[in-house]
Amino acid sequence: MSLFDSVIDVGDTAHPRGVALNGRGDSTAATLVWSALDTTIQVIDSLAGTAVGVFPGSGRLVARVGALRSNPAVVTILAPLDSIVAVGRTVDTVIVSTPDSLSDSLQVEAFSGGISSALRRIALSIDFPAGGTGLTLVPGDTVVTGTNGIAVFRVKLTGVRPDSAVVNASATAHGTPVAGSPVRFVVEFLP
């Protein structure tokens, strides 16, 4: 069997995926039955594998087909995120020398219980110009905080130069925006 690891918040659900393999390594149509090896996570649907994070830590899920058991899939369970803040400046001025000009790094720090928190998803959106025309977010429209709790991104000019761009960075806990969301960044483009 082959399993996939994941990261969730306390109270959120994990939806593990698994594939039963035969002796040649080909997938089979066998039904997997899921169970938890730790109390940090609780399986609420053993056939779908749906599990909920009970408290912070690492939880392990296993799948079985008959008497065969998988290696454990590790689910990291994080305390709920409570806030995000901008790190450093919220305004960057870019001197445009080529169509591929990049802003300096823009940074957002995530906190859980007042402590910097790693592995947190930060959603990014270009709110001006409308539709983000001529701009791209690098590395993409979602960034993840590193071990220091900081997510880093840049704005790349890919088309017609606007005078400025407004980018919002947001995070949620259980579908609700956390304190500080959205953090607003302004990137000014100068000829």
Side-chain angles (χ1 to χ4, degrees):
M1 282 179 257
S2 165
L3 299 175
F4 305 93
D5 297 341
S6 66
V7 177
I8 61 171
D9 286 349
V10 168
D12 285 343
T13 56
H15 304 280
R17 297 175 292 148
V19 178
L21 304 174
N22 64 21
R24 293 185 304 273
D26 298 325
S27 61
T28 67
T31 300
L32 301 176
V33 178
W34 296 87
S35 59
L37 297 178
D38 304 291
T39 58
T40 55
I41 192 161
Q42 178 182 10
V43 174
I44 56 176
D45 183 337
S46 63
L47 294 179
T50 306
V52 65
V54 178
F55 56 87
S58 290
R60 296 171 296 159
L61 297 173
V62 293
R64 69 177 163 79
V65 174
L68 298 175
R69 292 189 181 272
S70 68
N71 288 330
V74 176
V75 179
T76 302
I77 302 134
L78 304 172
L81 194 60
D82 53 36
S83 63
I84 61 172
V85 297
V87 176
R89 63 181 181 274
T90 57
V91 176
D92 184 42
T93 301
V94 178
I95 306 300
V96 179
S97 57
T98 67
D100 288 336
S101 293
L102 279 169
S103 71
D104 281 340
S105 294
L106 301 170
Q107 302 178 29
V108 177
E109 187 169 4
F111 295 92
S112 178
I115 299 170
S116 295
S117 188
L119 303 174
R120 300 308 181 131
R121 292 189 182 281
I122 306 295
L124 305 173
S125 63
I126 299 172
D127 291 346
F128 180 83
T133 305
L135 302 170
T136 300
L137 294 165
V138 178
D141 61 359
T142 302
V143 290
V144 177
T145 59
T147 56
N148 60 356
I150 297 174
V152 180
F153 67 96
R154 298 170 85 181
V155 178
K156 181 178 182 178
L157 179 64
T158 58
V160 177
R161 177 183 59 85
D163 291 337
S164 62
V166 176
V167 178
N168 283 335
S170 304
T172 61
H174 304 293
T176 303
V178 300
S181 281
V183 174
R184 177 166 288 176
F185 295 90
V186 177
V187 177
E188 298 174 339
F189 296 96
L190 300 178

